Amino acid sequence: MAASSLYKLLRSAIAGLERDVDTIQTVFDIGEEHGRKVRLLAYAGYRNATTVRLKGRIVRYGKPLYAGDDMLVRLRAMLAIYNSQELPGVTVHVEGYGQSQDIVTDEEGYFDIELMIDQPLPETTRWETVTLSVPDGDVPDTQVPVIAPGNDQNWGIISDIDDTVIETGATNFLRNWRRVLIERPEDRLAVPGAASLYQMIARDHIAPARPFFYVSSSPWNLYGFIAEFLESNSIPHGPMFLKDYGIDADKLIDSGHDVHKLQAIRSILAFYPQLRFLLIGDNGQRDVAIYTQVVREFGRRVAAVFIRDVDGSCREGTGGTLLAEIDACGVPTFCGAGFENALAVVTSLGLDRPREAAGALVPPVRP
């Protein structure tokens, strides 16, 4: 699939959330005669030889209060992204790989699809597509990208997002509220060295040579915002495992962070038993503890652990002890204020040469 066509497809799958302020009225397709617009939000999926996994949501959006470019307008526009009305009980139909299936949205408007297939993985990593539709609604069909890891690779990447690839200042919201709430995707800064590191590993950010997965406690409402940021910084696209924030006790901010990330990472490793994974995160929101637990469970299925040091304490205290434990398991670690120096670590591990790395490092499934 051509890079330009794939990017158009990825943007289409975002279903109108890829831009925040400048095109907010167009994004929501608002007119007096339209009222609140129903949207099929489809998130990039992934597959192995037997199963395709997809996630999405059916919502209704309202009209933003203002259009413009000052700080208050940006804040209102950002908050409008969250001001969606979920639509439960809607049937969604999927077609792809010679199979079809219907699924009904849950009480939050989400749907999760597992499509059973019998199709070997391709020789090289590529994006494929399936079609989602809403049979009983006036909603356009959506072509959804699905990542299929290639058989020529022996490893993939699982990455955090906040303060790992995007500078958010999540560890100090009061000091960084402006960045978190009102900056456009193109205004946000990439973590130093992140784009170079990810480009080195991916080779092509639109059609990566290796599969990338993003695991974060950011809300699903920000999917389009994050995808736009990745594209503007030439950071590879990949399926995302984000979090649903609601008013239930188990969905409040900062609750369930470890559980969410651990479950997502375990699911990815179980889904691709033939792959080893490079885990990339930061030491601001418990990634070190989470990745240590993954190493305890999966051993050298983890190829390496890279940590962005947000406060200069990476090798100290509890975090330092945990990184030493990972090292003792034979899993190399990197820790730095940015990822500039991580390029040399990738090269030294042979991870920039996948065939050589595959031949030299064939780990057991369990430690």
Side-chain angles (χ1 to χ4, degrees):
M1 182 183 298
S4 59
S5 298
L6 176 60
Y7 180 51
K8 290 178 182 178
L9 177 60
L10 286 162
R11 290 176 66 92
S12 174
I14 293 167
L17 290 181
E18 74 277 5
R19 313 267 327 163
D20 59 340
V21 176
D22 285 338
T23 58
I24 191 97
Q25 287 183 305
T26 301
V27 164
F28 291 112
D29 194 18
I30 294 298
E32 293 300 323
E33 73 279 9
H34 289 96
R36 292 173 63 83
K37 186 74 174 179
V38 175
R39 296 286 185 179
L40 166 58
L41 308 181
Y43 311 126
Y46 57 103
R47 80 165 179 96
N48 57 24
T50 62
T51 308
V52 180
R53 287 181 175 173
L54 300 166
K55 187 179 182 71
R57 198 180 194 192
I58 303 291
V59 299
R60 192 188 298 272
Y61 282 102
K63 183 177 181 179
L65 296 178
Y66 298 99
D69 198 40
D70 62 33
M71 185 174 69
L72 180 59
V73 169
R74 290 192 184 195
L75 177 59
R76 289 183 181 277
M78 192 67 179
L79 293 176
I81 292 177
Y82 294 90
N83 186 28
S84 60
Q85 173 192 353
E86 62 271 9
L87 296 180
V90 176
T91 298
V92 177
H93 183 73
V94 58
E95 290 274 354
Y97 302 99
Q99 306 293 327
S100 64
Q101 182 177 318
D102 289 338
I103 191 75
V104 177
T105 58
D106 65 17
E107 61 183 9
E108 293 289 330
Y110 289 103
F111 58 88
D112 289 278
I113 295 174
E114 283 203 349
L115 191 65
M116 298 292 94
I117 63 172
D118 182 10
Q119 185 160 330
L121 287 170
E123 180 60 26
T124 59
T125 299
R126 70 187 186 196
W127 286 101
E128 300 168 343
T129 62
V130 299
T131 302
L132 293 181
S133 60
V134 180
D136 298 325
D138 185 18
V139 180
D141 292 356
T142 298
Q143 297 292 308
V144 185
V146 175
I147 196 71
N151 286 319
D152 63 331
Q153 300 296 322
N154 194 54
W155 63 295
I157 300 86
I158 297 174
S159 174
D160 181 42
I161 296 173
D162 294 340
D163 290 315
T164 298
V165 293
I166 304 175
E167 289 276 22
T168 66
T171 58
N172 193 329
F173 177 82
L174 292 179
R175 189 176 64 192
N176 297 284
W177 67 270
R178 182 188 300 267
R179 176 186 298 166
V180 174
L181 292 180
I182 67 174
E183 287 187 351
R184 301 176 175 94
E186 62 268 26
D187 295 332
R188 293 288 184 88
L189 298 175
V191 167
S196 296
L197 174 65
Y198 286 52
Q199 289 166 15
M200 178 182 184
I201 297 170
R203 300 182 187 173
D204 183 331
H205 73 283
I206 293 293
R210 307 165 180 89
F212 281 71
F213 302 87
Y214 294 94
V215 177
S216 170
S217 288
S218 290
W220 279 108
N221 299 67
L222 291 181
Y223 178 89
F225 187 99
I226 295 168
E228 180 77 3
F229 172 87
L230 296 179
E231 170 58 26
S232 65
N233 286 275
S234 298
I235 294 173
H237 294 279
M240 299 184 202
F241 297 73
L242 306 181
K243 203 167 184 293
D244 176 25
Y245 286 96
I247 59 174
D248 296 341
D250 64 345
K251 293 180 181 177
L252 294 177
I253 293 176
D254 290 334
S255 67
H257 175 83
D258 289 24
V259 172
H260 165 71
K261 282 195 167 184
L262 271 172
Q263 287 179 342
I265 294 171
R266 287 166 176 159
S267 175
I268 296 167
L269 266 71
F271 198 70
Y272 295 110
Q274 79 279 19
L275 297 181
R276 304 181 73 203
F277 284 89
L278 171 61
L279 306 183
I280 309 177
D282 64 85
N283 66 337
Q285 293 186 306
R286 292 188 52 77
D287 286 347
V288 176
I290 294 167
Y291 293 173
T292 301
Q293 182 60 35
V294 174
V295 172
R296 289 169 182 164
E297 295 180 18
F298 293 92
R300 296 191 64 221
R301 289 275 322 273
V302 179
V305 172
F306 285 9
I307 297 296
R308 190 274 177 105
D309 189 359
V310 300
D311 59 7
S313 67
C314 200
R315 296 290 183 181
E316 302 172 359
T318 301
T321 300
L322 292 174
L323 286 176
E325 179 183 337
I326 295 174
D327 280 320
C329 293
V331 177
T333 64
F334 166 85
C335 182
F339 290 118
E340 300 96 333
N341 295 331
L343 300 175
V345 179
V346 169
T347 301
S348 69
L349 293 172
L351 297 180
D352 61 330
R353 305 184 304 277
R355 290 186 183 275
E356 291 89 332
L361 301 170
V362 181
V365 173
R366 291 289 184 183

